[in-house]
Amino acid sequence: MSATDRRTPVILVAGWAGATAATARSLLDARTVVVRHDLAEVTEGVVRRTVTTYDARRESILELAHGCVSCTLREDLLPLLRRLGARDSIDRIVLELDRTLEPEALCWAIENVEITGVVGQLDGPAARDVKIEAVLTCVDAADWLVDATGDDTLADRGVLASIDDDRTVAQLVVGQVDYADALVISGSPADAWHQAKLLAILRRLAPGAPITWVPAGATPDAAALLGHVPADARRGAVFDAHGPLLRGQPSLDTDCGVTIVEFSATRPFHPGRLHEAVDVLLDGVVSARGRVWVATQPDEALWLESAGGGLRVASAGTWLAAMSPAEQAAADPARVAMAAMRWDERFGDRDTSMIALVHSADPSDISRALQWALVTDDELADEKTWQDWADPFGQWHEDPCETSESPYSESNREEQA
């Protein structure tokens, strides 16, 4: 942010479990307001909003026409941020997120969702009045690793952010940590080994994020933690699917069996073999993500992401090589520059680049399975037959197999907001 940026700073405090409430409260002072939307009854069209100042606490019950997070954000939270951000008496806003919320989706909404009809303000996104200062994620030391590597859905746990919420707990908790600028860990793991393993995973999911560890029930010094957030922290930025995958320079060394596996290829995957191979990303792997080139889809880049036992393959947009000159000229210059360094005369910028964060799997098994799924030399030479192959990713893919949409697409961002 520039020195002349007068927008009100916003701190997001997220977490499925842990010291979320205590962390948010610890930041309260005479010129700070803490806002929380309780989504426990959102599927019934009811949201409880609490606004806490240094000397008062006000609770409101919101009745929504459609019980979902999108309505909560559009109809209340984002307009509220605009109103609070315009008040001279408020220097900082703390958002204590409901446990089912992922901070990335909210940060995207603050930056992009247009809010209209706020008295005395021009129409536009909440980012006209507020800016993301940091995202703090709270982690429960005893249960986080189990949650992050399991396959329970939110419905299995009886907690939903909307009627059709099909996310897994692993997708939620991994996403919350992956997006964090700082971490608050509370409680105690089973033993010293589990503590070391948990730290090894967290430091690779959120490299560079400062960590504070507090006993269960204790209040963390969140203000001090914020002081250690590095200048180049993410701070609400939403990265493009075609950007670097190893963000923040995580350690590539192995620690307590935890390591990052990198895989890249300049030839496409055979769709059928890839469908079989992706199972290696669901056992002993905390998370995986990356750009995927499937032979049967020459124009479409795919985005693969997994967390615990859940995996999704969705659209990541069009390859530059499949764009018109006008579309290429309008593309992100950083993406164009990266593509130019690896441009192939036959296939252009099409390639595969993936990373997997392993905690108990054999990295060589992952590499071998993905290598096996690539087209062979004979298949590569016979490109005209590719379109005849069955493609289980034709409507994208999700385990369990369902239609899904890229988290990077405009329509999905609007739905999340």
Side-chain angles (χ1 to χ4, degrees):
M1 300 295 179
S2 69
T4 58
D5 190 342
R6 297 185 177 181
R7 294 177 297 167
T8 303
V10 173
I11 297 169
L12 281 70
V13 182
W16 169 253
T20 309
T23 300
R25 286 197 303 270
S26 75
L27 294 169
L28 191 61
D29 60 31
R31 298 186 64 83
T32 295
V33 60
V34 177
V35 177
R36 171 175 167 76
H37 286 75
D38 185 344
L39 303 179
E41 301 172 87
V42 69
T43 57
E44 301 170 19
V46 175
V47 173
R48 299 178 186 275
R49 181 236 284 162
T50 304
V51 178
T52 304
T53 60
Y54 200 59
D55 54 6
R57 181 177 182 274
R58 297 179 179 85
E59 181 174 308
S60 304
I61 297 179
L62 313 175
E63 295 186 5
L64 306 174
H66 305 283
C68 64
V69 175
S70 175
C71 296
T72 305
L73 296 182
R74 287 183 184 275
E75 297 180 20
D76 192 74
L77 177 54
L78 297 177
L80 178 62
L81 284 178
R82 296 210 63 187
R83 293 194 298 271
L84 294 175
R87 291 184 185 176
D88 292 336
S89 60
I90 295 176
D91 287 344
R92 182 173 61 182
I93 302 168
V94 176
L95 297 183
E96 181 191 337
L97 302 190
D98 185 88
R99 64 189 306 209
T100 62
L101 287 181
E102 297 178 53
E104 182 176 11
L106 180 51
C107 289
W108 186 93
I110 289 172
E111 191 69 32
N112 294 278
V113 175
E114 183 160 316
I115 302 302
T116 61
V118 178
V119 177
Q121 294 179 328
L122 296 174
D123 293 347
R128 291 182 64 97
D129 302 289
V130 301
K131 60 186 178 184
I132 305 300
E133 179 176 322
V135 174
L136 306 184
T137 292
C138 301
V139 170
D140 182 88
D143 298 327
W144 187 89
L145 185 54
V146 173
D147 289 334
T149 56
D151 55 11
D152 283 358
T153 64
L154 295 184
D156 291 335
R157 301 288 185 90
V159 181
L160 293 174
S162 65
I163 294 173
D164 57 355
D165 192 348
D166 60 356
R167 291 174 298 162
T168 65
V169 176
Q171 288 171 323
L172 175 61
V173 302
V174 168
Q176 289 172 337
V177 169
D178 178 73
Y179 203 70
D181 297 313
L183 297 172
V184 177
I185 308 176
S186 60
S188 302
D191 51 42
W193 168 257
H194 286 89
Q195 176 174 323
K197 187 169 186 174
L198 175 63
L199 285 173
I201 292 171
L202 296 178
R203 285 172 175 155
R204 285 159 178 78
L205 264 182
I211 297 174
T212 187
W213 201 303
V214 298
T219 298
D221 188 348
L225 182 63
L226 286 171
H228 293 288
V229 173
D232 61 352
R234 190 168 186 167
R235 300 181 192 271
V238 177
F239 296 128
D240 185 85
H242 295 274
L245 296 177
L246 284 175
R247 302 185 292 263
Q249 299 180 329
S251 172
L252 299 180
D253 296 333
T254 300
D255 183 6
C256 299
V258 177
T259 192
I260 293 175
V261 178
E262 299 179 82
F263 181 85
S264 61
T266 55
R267 62 176 62 196
F269 283 113
H270 184 289
R273 293 199 296 272
L274 177 61
H275 190 257
E276 295 182 46
V278 292
D279 283 348
V280 300
L281 301 175
L282 306 179
D283 188 11
V285 176
V286 176
S287 66
R289 67 172 182 264
R291 299 177 298 274
V292 175
W293 174 23
V294 177
T296 44
Q297 300 190 45
D299 295 342
E300 196 85 20
L302 299 183
W303 177 257
L304 177 149
E305 60 182 2
S306 74
L311 177 143
R312 179 178 296 124
V313 179
S315 171
T318 305
W319 294 112
L320 291 172
M323 292 181 182
S324 67
E327 290 172 327
Q328 290 183 7
D332 181 2
R335 177 186 174 186
V336 173
M338 287 184 60
M341 292 188 292
R342 54 180 172 79
W343 196 269
D344 179 82
E345 290 186 5
R346 179 180 175 187
F347 295 118
D349 62 322
R350 299 177 180 91
D351 74 345
T352 287
S353 182
M354 299 169 55
I355 59 171
L357 177 56
V358 171
H359 74 96
S360 65
D362 185 338
S364 61
D365 288 345
I366 294 174
S367 298
R368 280 196 299 267
L370 295 175
Q371 191 71 34
W372 167 78
L374 296 171
V375 299
T376 65
D377 289 344
D378 289 342
E379 291 167 340
L380 187 66
D382 195 14
E383 186 176 347
K384 64 180 180 296
T385 65
W386 294 357
Q387 293 303 314
D388 297 329
W389 295 343
D391 185 358
F393 303 102
Q395 294 296 320
W396 324 134
H397 180 75
E398 190 170 356
D399 276 340
C401 297
E402 293 178 3
T403 299
S404 60
E405 187 177 359
S406 171
Y408 293 92
S409 70
E410 289 292 324
S411 59
N412 194 51
R413 290 293 186 190
E414 290 174 359
E415 288 173 4
Q416 288 179 350

